[in-house]
Amino acid sequence: MKVLGIWDGHDSGAAIIEDNRILFAMNEERLTRRKLEIIFPAGSIEACLKNSNTSCAEIIEIAVSTSDFAKTLTRIFPSLKEAYYMIRRRKAEPASSSKIKKHLKYKLTEIPPSKITNFISRCYLRNRLQKIGFKNFNLHLIDHHHCHAVSAFCSGFDRSTVITLDGLGDGLSGSVYRFERGELYRVSAIPASHSLGVFFEHVTNLMNMRELEDEGKVMALANYAYPVDDNNNPMIDLMQIKNLSVRCRYSSLAMYDALKKIFWKYPSEQFAFMAQRTLEIKILELVKNAVNKTGIDNLCLAGGVFSNVKVNRLIRNLPEVNRCYVFPHMGDGGLPIGAAFALNNRLNGVSQISLEDVFLGPRYSDNEVEQALVHCGISYKKSENIINEVAQIITSGEIVFWFQGRMEIGPRSLGARSIIARPDSLEIKDRLNLQLKKRVWYQPFCPSMLEEDAKEILIDYDGNPNEFMTMAYQVRKSKRNLVQGVINIDGSCRPQILKRKSILLSYLLEEIKKLTGTGILLNTSFNIHGEPLVCSPEDAIKTFLLTGNRYMAINNYLVTQ
Ligand SMILES: [Fe+2]
């Protein structure tokens, strides 16, 4: 039986699964070209149907995440979320009434679902789905944090402690579950009014960065601070961990004001440092309590807060933790998959899903690629061996735009739509940052590496290849010259660790290793900073032309300009 999962909020999207496999999944931003798109994901739903050869009539079971008050309100009045989206992304100036609106937003988003919001959400969603062509179907509303938690089905663990943490959704900002014998049991629910995610959102916003998007920049900037001792960090007392819950001293908006007062006193990088340190301390405490309570030392983590790779590294290295799995699409963009998992579990009892890679989006044939290349009149040739040719180009010091196979889902570029280069050059790093990607200088690039090299260069590699760039690792001092373009100032990096012959990029890493002695690449997302990852050949060509880079490898075609 095929099950369709939908999420129609921040980073909306759709996923279709059958038995224990995800057939297709994508987020709407890749189609509309608006990063972290918020509209109803009609395009993603249609892509799910088309790419899995499914008709509307075949879909009987549809799962949608979240039906709290605020979500329901924005379903009826989409202009409300559009206005917030435009302000959040700095596309529109906030009006003078924005403080009141912000206050209202935080208050309303904390209200959990009710019979009325469920009823209104159902009416709205039925209507939208009928317009696409679905007729006889069962519509299921699935709790927001449950959708995050079921991502534990992909971990491969039989038993685990599952923790979800995010801004908020369906009245909660987090939860703790015990996953055992194919069942998830909720052991704690953290109220939305006490949110570690909202705390970090406020910090991001105060630093004039985009909340829900630039939290990684805060984490990166923190590395440049002169450290503040925990005893002198005023943020630590703003929250307390009480057993399996979080208690904030202030309401959401009062928390913003309290942070504003702290921000005034410190340089930005120290403010970022104190926030990152506070987040780390609180989450580690919560994790220890959770493992202690469930008695299970394998951890599964999901929710936007776990996009923080430094926090995840600390969790992985806790003596209380055996194995740690972070769902690759940990934020709300992963909710369509979660909704489909949850419903499939409820209807068919499936609780183990194979997720060997995240190449779940569309694929384009050589024919389609060639048509796009001809259409734009760009110079190209078909390569006899694209991997060999790209390896040669990269080792000569050039940057290559790499477009191969099915598009990846999630926040990281993992080898289907990537920009790749040597990892050992500061000059290439600066060229990428300033000319091509237009990113801030303190945000590091990340490496993809063969597992055999990970063992050599990472101090805290635990023998479990992390293919999804969900955690930081520390690089040995003696090896830092090999990866100076892809490490933080503190010597950490966020690697994609690949076994030989696993995905196409691993074959390229093997070729690079033959030429340079190490199988490591700089791997960053194929986009201009602030835009979604490229999806189609047309998107790729447009970005390639716009940046003026020399080389692009798209399927078996080598494009030069
Ligand atoms: Fe969430």
Side-chain angles (χ1 to χ4, degrees):
M1 178 207 286
K2 288 176 181 170
V3 173
L4 181 67
I6 296 169
W7 160 242
D8 59 336
H10 173 78
D11 202 10
S12 61
I16 186 162
I17 65 171
E18 187 174 29
D19 302 327
N20 63 349
R21 268 188 335 124
I22 305 170
L23 301 179
F24 188 90
M26 79 180 297
N27 292 93
E28 199 73 1
E29 61 161 25
R30 307 281 165 90
L31 296 168
T32 62
R33 311 304 305 152
R34 295 203 316 168
K35 184 141 178 154
L36 303 169
E37 181 58 271
I38 50 165
I39 64 167
F40 185 83
S44 306
I45 294 170
E46 278 163 15
C48 279
L49 297 175
K50 184 179 156 215
N51 288 279
S52 63
N53 289 322
T54 309
S55 66
C56 285
E58 274 178 77
I59 299 287
I60 308 296
E61 307 295 344
I62 301 179
V64 185
S65 177
T66 317
S67 55
D68 59 28
F69 183 86
K71 181 79 229 114
T72 305
L73 193 68
T74 57
R75 281 177 177 139
I76 313 169
F77 302 109
S79 60
L80 291 173
K81 64 176 176 181
E82 180 64 23
Y84 171 61
Y85 177 84
M86 295 303 279
I87 293 169
R88 191 185 68 70
R89 299 222 69 225
R90 308 295 192 270
K91 306 277 182 198
E93 260 186 70
S96 53
S97 59
S98 68
K99 177 135 191 187
I100 301 164
K101 281 186 184 159
K102 195 168 183 166
H103 185 76
L104 263 176
K105 172 187 158 333
Y106 280 110
K107 279 290 148 214
L108 297 180
T109 47
E110 288 171 8
I111 303 172
S114 63
K115 279 187 180 164
I116 297 171
T117 61
N118 277 358
F119 175 77
I120 297 171
S121 278
R122 275 177 185 285
C123 292
Y124 164 84
L125 291 163
R126 276 204 167 275
N127 189 280
R128 290 302 308 246
L129 289 163
Q130 279 162 352
K131 278 185 187 156
I132 292 174
F134 296 98
K135 287 196 174 71
N136 300 312
F137 61 94
N138 301 316
L139 179 66
H140 307 257
L141 295 174
I142 317 268
D143 171 74
H144 187 101
H145 279 269
H146 191 68
C147 289
H148 283 312
V150 288
S151 59
F153 295 170
C154 301
S155 66
F157 304 151
D158 291 333
R159 302 168 78 226
S160 58
T161 300
V162 183
I163 304 178
T164 70
L165 287 173
D166 65 3
L168 43 84
D170 278 340
L172 300 180
S173 68
S175 62
V176 179
Y177 288 79
R178 206 175 72 243
F179 176 55
E180 229 173 348
R181 288 186 285 278
E183 300 281 343
L184 272 169
Y185 306 93
R186 186 181 274 179
V187 289
S188 171
I190 305 167
S193 49
H194 300 269
S195 171
L196 290 169
V198 168
F199 157 75
F200 216 68
E201 263 176 57
H202 285 335
V203 168
T204 309
N205 181 287
L206 278 163
M207 295 179 69
N208 201 25
M209 297 182 196
R210 292 172 286 206
E211 71 269 24
L212 303 175
E213 188 171 335
D214 289 341
E215 279 72 7
K217 285 188 193 167
V218 176
M219 182 189 75
L221 185 62
N223 288 326
Y224 287 85
Y226 186 80
V228 179
D229 188 81
D230 289 346
N231 294 322
N232 297 321
N233 180 347
M235 291 188 201
I236 289 178
D237 287 339
L238 294 177
M239 283 158 292
Q240 276 189 304
I241 300 300
K242 296 262 186 191
N243 194 12
L244 297 187
S245 201
V246 180
R247 281 283 166 269
C248 292
R249 196 199 290 174
Y250 301 109
S251 69
S252 291
L253 212 69
M255 172 76 86
Y256 182 86
D257 292 336
L259 287 166
K260 199 172 178 179
K261 280 185 191 153
I262 297 170
F263 186 44
W264 178 77
K265 293 184 198 162
Y266 292 89
S268 299
E269 71 279 10
Q270 265 187 332
F271 184 71
F273 173 89
M274 293 189 297
Q276 174 68 24
R277 178 78 186 134
T278 303
L279 195 72
E280 290 170 1
I281 290 171
K282 302 301 168 188
I283 293 180
L284 290 184
E285 206 178 332
L286 183 69
V287 166
K288 284 187 220 169
N289 292 351
V291 170
N292 194 24
K293 171 83 179 172
T294 60
I296 305 173
D297 59 4
N298 283 339
L299 267 187
C300 294
L301 309 172
V305 171
F306 292 113
S307 62
N308 194 305
V309 295
K310 288 178 70 184
V311 166
N312 297 347
R313 169 174 182 256
L314 294 172
I315 295 173
R316 188 189 71 238
N317 289 336
L318 276 176
E320 290 85 352
V321 171
N322 177 32
R323 295 272 308 274
C324 179
Y325 174 80
V326 183
F327 185 57
H329 206 353
M330 67 291 280
D332 282 358
L335 290 173
I337 294 175
F341 281 4
L343 182 57
N344 195 33
N345 176 254
R346 192 191 292 169
L347 299 175
N348 305 314
V350 177
S351 61
Q352 297 287 344
I353 308 252
S354 115
L355 187 73
E356 283 169 13
D357 61 58
V358 290
F359 305 123
L360 300 169
R363 178 199 301 282
Y364 297 87
S365 66
D366 274 358
N367 218 354
E368 287 170 298
V369 166
E370 193 161 12
Q371 269 182 20
L373 291 168
V374 168
H375 182 74
C376 70
I378 197 166
S379 157
Y380 70 92
K381 65 159 190 168
K382 191 156 188 174
S383 169
E384 291 297 310
N385 188 334
I386 195 80
I387 288 180
N388 277 359
E389 281 203 60
V390 168
Q392 299 278 355
I393 293 166
I394 282 177
T395 45
S396 76
E398 293 286 348
I399 295 162
V400 175
F401 287 20
W402 174 258
F403 181 109
Q404 303 291 336
R406 293 184 69 178
M407 181 184 69
E408 54 271 77
I409 54 149
R412 320 274 189 238
S413 203
L414 295 170
R417 307 285 185 271
S418 289
I419 295 177
I420 50 181
R422 288 184 74 114
D424 57 352
S425 163
L426 290 177
E427 184 269 324
I428 292 177
K429 177 184 132 178
D430 288 344
R431 185 146 49 100
L432 259 172
N433 250 343
L434 301 173
Q435 288 173 14
L436 297 186
K437 299 271 303 193
K438 303 188 173 28
R439 296 182 351 151
V440 292
W441 58 270
Y442 52 83
Q443 209 177 359
F445 289 109
C446 298
S448 292
M449 59 178 73
L450 289 173
E451 191 196 11
E452 61 213 52
D453 291 291
K455 285 177 187 163
E456 293 293 315
I457 76 159
L458 303 176
I459 295 169
D460 52 350
Y461 180 57
D462 58 358
N464 300 304
N466 183 331
E467 305 100 325
F468 305 127
M469 284 191 186
T470 55
M471 293 183 198
Y473 294 77
Q474 200 68 13
V475 178
R476 287 181 205 286
K477 277 199 176 133
S478 59
K479 301 286 183 184
R480 288 186 187 167
N481 60 322
L482 296 173
V483 286
Q484 54 183 333
V486 289
I487 54 173
N488 273 304
I489 192 166
D490 66 353
S492 68
C493 68
R494 188 189 72 196
Q496 179 189 28
I497 302 172
L498 296 171
K499 285 186 185 290
R500 279 179 180 249
K501 306 191 183 347
S502 51
I503 60 170
L504 189 70
L505 196 70
S506 71
Y507 290 83
L508 180 62
L509 288 167
E510 285 179 44
E511 277 308 308
I512 298 272
K513 184 159 181 146
K514 282 185 200 160
L515 297 170
T516 66
T518 49
I520 311 176
L521 274 171
L522 178 156
N523 176 3
T524 185
S525 50
F526 190 164
N527 62 352
I528 292 173
H529 191 59
E531 287 186 5
L533 200 68
V534 298
C535 176
S536 67
E538 287 78 11
D539 301 334
I541 293 165
K542 194 175 158 197
T543 303
F544 177 63
L545 293 174
L546 209 64
T547 58
N549 192 50
R550 277 184 75 187
Y551 295 100
M552 175 164 69
I554 178 165
N555 283 15
N556 287 311
Y557 298 94
L558 187 64
V559 187
T560 48
Q561 65 174 337

